[in-house]
Structures are given as structure tokens and as C-alpha cells.
Amino acid sequence: TAITDGTKIQILEQLCSVFFGSFVFYKGGLRIRADKPDANIKLLVNQTNAGDFTYEHATLKSFINKVVVTYVDPNSFYIEKTVTAENQQGIDKYGEKAAQVFGFGITSETQALRYANWVLQSEIENSLTVSYQGGWDHYRLIPGDIVQFEDSNERGTRLAGRATVSGSNVALDGDCVAVVGDAFSITEDDGTVHETTIASVTDASNIVLNAAPSGTVVNNSTFTIADQSIGKQLFRVVKVDETSDGVFNTTLQLYNADKYNLITAVTRS
């Protein structure tokens, strides 16, 4: 069967919608990415390799809290049917804000419900975006990548910067709030992010790691510390454009791996 209804871009968008995906043209090729769990952190971002952070929070009042998905049922001669997923708490508090979606390629009630709940949970879990200007280390990024983000100015506590590593010993570029057991991440020369925990704290700018990086770490590589009570701040890349030589305008969206478990907890009416 050939799909001929719509432009090439529209057809690509429809095909990607089947698996919560998106596409981007990158280095002469088409890259397809799906909104799914991803444990691979591509880049560490903080004030030392990025700047001009601008935040945008979606308000609860603007969230979609009811989604109606239309699909075709092969067991009923491919007639169109609908399913509904609701965020009842949001409806009770702010009134109904509904969206109607045609589920391209969806042929089962279960799949349609999963799609509807993906929309609802994305509204809640991915409501924060941050835009900024990044440096040369951003040239590897493409939309869909996961980055670890730390804005110490916003947090009010310095938990990131640049560091020099010698075995398991790390000299930070300034005083940080480091605690034994906190997660520590640093960028290796090939772009790989080395993750371990802090074994001991010599002073506010010198720490010892439980596991030394296996690869080469150049002096003044970017690092982040993840407070045990808060954890890593992970974001998914939404957009990255090189506006001038070595300057990359980047937009990130809050990433929460728990969203994918919540998608199965649908409310149907």
C-alpha cells in the first residue's frame, strides 16, 4: 500500500507519530528519533560551556487534560472508533481542555489508549524548556539526545564547572558543594560522559572519585555533581542550530524517564 495523501514532510510526520518519534536532517542524512527511555547522556551542560539560559514553564492551566484518539478497528471492517484518556485531577481543578487526535496507523484500542496517555503525560512531565547558547562541544548534538544540565545560578548552589583529573583525584575550578556519595560526571576527550560517585572530599575544590575515568580527560573538562536528594537534571534536545562559527542556539525539554511507566496508567471514559 502506498501512502500518497500529503506532502513528503507530512507523510514523514505521520509515520513518526506511530512511535512517538520525530525526524531531523543531520549531516546530509535523515535521522529518526523516538520518544522513549534513553540512558545515554550525550553531553554535560553548565555555565562553563553554555550561557544566557532562558526558562519557559508551561502553566497547569494551559495543560491538555483530555485526549480523544480516533483509530480504525480491523475487527469491525475498519470503521473509525474513539478512545478517551483524561487527567481527572486537572479537569476538576481547571476545567476541561481537550484535544482530538487521529491516530495514524493505530488499529487497536490498547494502542490508541497508549497514544492518548502519552499526550497527557508529556504535557505534565515535559513542561519545562530551557534555551541557551552553547559552544563547540554542542556540534555533536542532534534533537532527541539526552544531556545532563546544571544551572548553578538558578539553583543557588555551585554543583558544576570545569575540572582537572589525575587518576581518581579531581581538582575543581572553584569551591563546590560536594558530598560523599553524590554522583559525579565528567566529559572525556572523545565526548563520552564518565559517571561515578564521590569517595571523599579533600576540601571544597578537591575530591576523590570511587572510579577513575577509563578514557582520557583533558584539563578543564566540564563536570557536574548530582545531589543525592535531587538527582541528575536530565533534558532532551529539542533544537540545536549553529548560528555562527562555534555558537549553537539550543533548546532543551525536561526529560523524566518515569513518564514511560505512567503511560500505561490510563483513565478511560
Side-chain angles (χ1 to χ4, degrees), residues 158 162-164 170-174 176 178 184 204-207 223 225:
R158 191 169 191 267
R162 293 186 180 271
T164 299
V170 181
L172 309 178
D173 63 345
C176 289
F184 182 90
S205 61
N206 289 273
I207 62 175
F223 77 89
I225 298 171

Side-chain angles (χ1 to χ4, degrees), residues 34-56:
D35 183 12
K36 63 179 183 179
D38 189 350
N40 180 38
I41 298 174
K42 193 72 173 288
L43 183 69
L44 303 179
V45 178
N46 60 55
Q47 285 89 347
T48 61
N49 66 340
D52 298 328
F53 297 129
T54 302
Y55 294 86
E56 185 174 347

Side-chain angles (χ1 to χ4, degrees), residues 110-171:
T110 301
Q111 187 180 7
L113 283 169
R114 187 163 58 247
Y115 185 16
N117 211 42
W118 174 80
V119 175
L120 290 180
Q121 294 302 329
S122 295
E123 288 282 296
I124 297 170
E125 303 297 337
N126 306 135
S127 60
L128 172 64
T129 60
V130 56
S131 300
Y132 63 90
Q133 289 189 337
W136 269 118
D137 55 351
H138 285 64
Y139 85 95
R140 295 188 180 101
L141 287 185
I142 62 175
D145 285 341
I146 303 298
V147 304
Q148 187 174 339
F149 177 84
E150 175 60 43
D151 182 357
S152 296
N153 291 333
E154 177 78 6
R155 191 192 290 271
T157 300
R158 191 169 191 267
L159 292 170
R162 293 186 180 271
T164 299
V165 177
S166 176
S168 296
N169 297 300
V170 181

Side-chain angles (χ1 to χ4, degrees), residues 22-69:
S22 61
F23 64 89
V24 61
F25 291 96
Y26 178 73
K27 292 185 177 180
L30 181 67
R31 305 294 181 92
I32 305 295
R33 307 300 294 267
D35 183 12
K36 63 179 183 179
D38 189 350
N40 180 38
I41 298 174
K42 193 72 173 288
L43 183 69
L44 303 179
V45 178
N46 60 55
Q47 285 89 347
T48 61
N49 66 340
D52 298 328
F53 297 129
T54 302
Y55 294 86
E56 185 174 347
H57 297 260
T59 64
L60 292 174
K61 292 182 180 180
S62 67
F63 283 173
I64 294 171
N65 51 38
K66 179 178 180 179
V67 182
V68 181
V69 176

Side-chain angles (χ1 to χ4, degrees), residues 9 30 72 90 93 107 115 122 154 158 199 241-242 252 259:
I9 297 296
L30 181 67
V72 294
K93 191 168 185 178
T107 56
Y115 185 16
S122 295
E154 177 78 6
R158 191 169 191 267
D241 292 322
E242 186 176 9
L252 309 177
K259 178 180 84 172

